[in-house]
Amino acid sequence: MAKEFWRWKEYNWKNEDISWKNGSTISAGIDVGSVSSQAVILVDGELYAYSSMRTGSDSPKSAENAMNWALDGTEMTMQNIHYVVGTGYGRVNVPFANKTITEIACHARGANTMYGPTVRTILDMGGQDCKAIRCDEKGKVTNFLMNDKCAAGTGRGMEVFADLLSVPIEDIGPLSFEVAEEPPPVSSTCVVFAKTEATSLLRQGWPKNKVIASYCSAMAHRVVSLLERISVENDFVITGGIGKNIGVVKRITDELGANTLQSKYDTQIAGALGAALFGRALAEKERK
Amino acid sequence: MIANFGYKDGSGEFYIAIDTDKCNGCGDCIPACPSHILALRDNEFDPMADDQMVVILDEFRKKIKYACAACKPDHAVHSLPCVNACAPVAITHSW
């Protein structure tokens, strides 16, 4: 079988320093996206465990798999979790969720914790959509827009390019800078047309890196035009899978003239983390 | 909060913005829309609050260019029923 270059790694993580049995509120957030699903478990608001997996064709099953993988090795079971919040594109398909919350609210809340209260603008570059969110110091949404009509500027587009160029998806970012000079962006941001254009550029003798650079720059340009509508205020952060692609991130910040904050957290868990934080607040509200 | 419903694609930018700080939840815009794309819903963007806001129904968010064509069939500036019905001026169209 041919190698699949788009296949990013699935992973889970657990905080060994926390003993969950002493926690008074255990909450979980599950973000079932169009491409990946994340589960986050918090013990009294502290990050205890998370997982990130590919979403399959069966959303309820994907939610369950992500949850089970986050629970893996923790001795915790679903019965120990007080409140589960589902979010993301497949949020209505989380069978064990106590509540569902839109991913826009969750991303703002998650980013507020991940990057600190100075965050005002969040760009979430997801698998199949792109969201530009403005929030206040509490992580409350003040302005947002979403683009899910077209896959330009999304992770799925990058996956298609990784496969077309036979470059592992993790290497795309660094390779995009290995060009003598920055090429013009591909003119079509639509993934399918951009792929067609890239194929013809390769045929004209463009090296792979140049094509990658050209696509990263097209993607950056595309999302910057989305951001213009809500206007960017510092601090600015990028969440979602593309947040790990330095080739796109640097081109976006260069074009905006802004810096992005770095976080010790994984950029992909922002939505699920926000959901889990809401879960904690809702569980405590119910108890009162 | 300003909620932008709609999309941007190769043919242009089509967003209807609802300013929830201005929207008083009266619902006068709902019957004014001939394409029935507006509805009053819980504010799902602030899960800790209990307020309501006008939203563009989910099924129309990716085709508002066509749904709104009933009131603006060309690129000329029209007087829009939803905008006119909104006393607190909470609705704006991007196109």
Side-chain angles (χ1 to χ4, degrees):
Chain A
M1 205 174 89
K3 194 165 176 229
E4 290 176 305
F5 293 92
W6 63 271
R7 278 192 176 266
W8 40 273
K9 263 203 191 78
E10 300 182 310
Y11 48 84
N12 67 352
W13 175 89
K14 161 171 84 147
N15 188 344
E16 307 281 356
D17 301 334
I18 292 180
S19 163
W20 64 266
K21 283 173 184 151
N22 303 328
S24 60
T25 309
I26 299 177
S27 61
I30 305 210
D31 180 357
V32 182
S34 49
V35 171
S36 69
S37 298
Q38 283 81 25
V40 164
I41 302 168
L42 299 179
V43 176
D44 292 328
E46 288 288 317
L47 187 59
Y48 173 63
Y50 67 79
S51 69
S52 173
M53 299 179 91
R54 280 182 277 277
T55 303
S57 53
D58 182 343
S59 296
K61 191 84 198 141
S62 304
E64 212 168 289
N65 287 346
M67 193 69 229
N68 286 339
W69 210 30
L71 289 169
D72 192 40
T74 62
E75 289 174 28
M76 192 193 278
T77 65
M78 283 306 293
Q79 276 70 44
N80 301 117
I81 301 175
H82 301 108
Y83 209 96
V84 181
V85 171
T87 187
Y89 163 89
R91 62 181 175 274
V92 291
N93 292 317
V94 181
F96 42 87
N98 298 73
K99 188 182 169 73
T100 61
I101 296 177
T102 160
E103 63 271 30
I104 299 194
C106 290
H107 269 278
R109 188 79 180 76
N112 177 269
T113 297
M114 283 167 72
Y115 300 91
T118 58
V119 171
R120 290 292 173 279
T121 313
I122 302 144
L123 174 67
D124 172 47
M125 298 185 73
Q128 260 172 212
D129 66 21
C130 211
K131 294 175 265 297
I133 307 165
R134 289 275 297 269
C135 68
D136 64 12
E137 71 287 347
K138 291 192 183 100
K140 197 167 163 272
V141 181
T142 55
N143 192 344
F144 75 87
L145 72 83
M146 176 157 159
N147 202 8
D148 58 355
K149 178 149 178 169
C150 139
T154 66
R156 188 68 96 192
M158 208 40 107
E159 287 181 9
V160 167
F161 264 69
D163 241 15
L164 173 74
L165 300 164
S166 310
V167 173
I169 195 135
E170 294 84 1
D171 300 343
I172 294 248
L175 282 180
S176 75
F177 294 115
E178 291 178 18
V179 285
E181 58 176 327
E182 183 77 3
V186 286
S187 52
S188 315
T189 38
C190 161
V191 178
V192 176
F193 292 138
K195 191 179 171 185
T196 311
E197 198 174 328
T199 313
S200 74
L201 291 173
L202 288 170
R203 214 166 289 143
Q204 286 167 31
W206 277 39
K208 263 189 206 177
N209 296 354
K210 198 171 163 188
V211 177
I212 292 173
S214 177
Y215 187 62
C216 286
S217 137
M219 201 184 240
H221 188 68
R222 157 92 193 172
V223 295
V224 166
S225 75
L226 269 186
L227 281 167
E228 273 164 8
R229 193 166 169 73
I230 63 157
S231 79
V232 176
E233 187 191 336
N234 280 330
D235 290 334
F236 171 65
V237 299
I238 302 178
T239 61
I242 297 286
K244 298 174 185 172
N245 183 325
I246 182 71
V248 179
V249 170
K250 186 159 183 313
R251 285 177 175 88
I252 293 173
T253 51
D254 284 356
E255 197 168 333
L256 287 173
N259 282 317
T260 49
L261 293 184
Q262 297 303 315
S263 168
K264 58 179 178 163
Y265 296 97
D266 185 312
T267 60
Q268 273 184 284
I269 65 166
L273 176 64
L277 288 164
F278 278 127
R280 182 194 183 203
L282 290 164
E284 284 170 0
K285 194 174 166 189
E286 266 181 22
R287 239 178 251 165
K288 272 176 204 157
Chain B
M1 178 186 68
I2 297 165
N4 292 281
F5 297 102
Y7 59 89
K8 176 177 184 170
D9 68 6
S11 68
E13 207 174 309
F14 307 97
Y15 285 103
I16 295 177
I18 311 283
D19 189 334
T20 56
D21 299 328
K22 291 182 186 163
C23 176
N24 57 16
C26 68
D28 286 351
C29 53
I30 299 167
C33 174
S35 301
H36 313 290
I37 70 168
L38 299 164
L40 207 56
R41 293 278 185 275
D42 288 337
N43 178 357
E44 56 169 346
F45 304 99
D46 186 2
M48 305 313 285
D50 300 314
D51 56 334
Q52 287 209 311
M53 65 181 279
V54 163
V55 301
I56 311 301
L57 286 166
D58 241 344
E59 60 264 40
F60 292 105
R61 289 181 195 172
K62 287 183 205 170
K63 45 186 178 195
I64 58 168
K65 175 186 171 186
Y66 306 103
C68 291
C71 297
K72 39 178 162 182
D74 48 32
H75 286 286
V77 179
H78 292 271
S79 155
L80 301 168
C82 56
V83 174
N84 292 340
C86 183
V89 204
I91 305 175
T92 44
H93 287 229
S94 74
W95 80 108

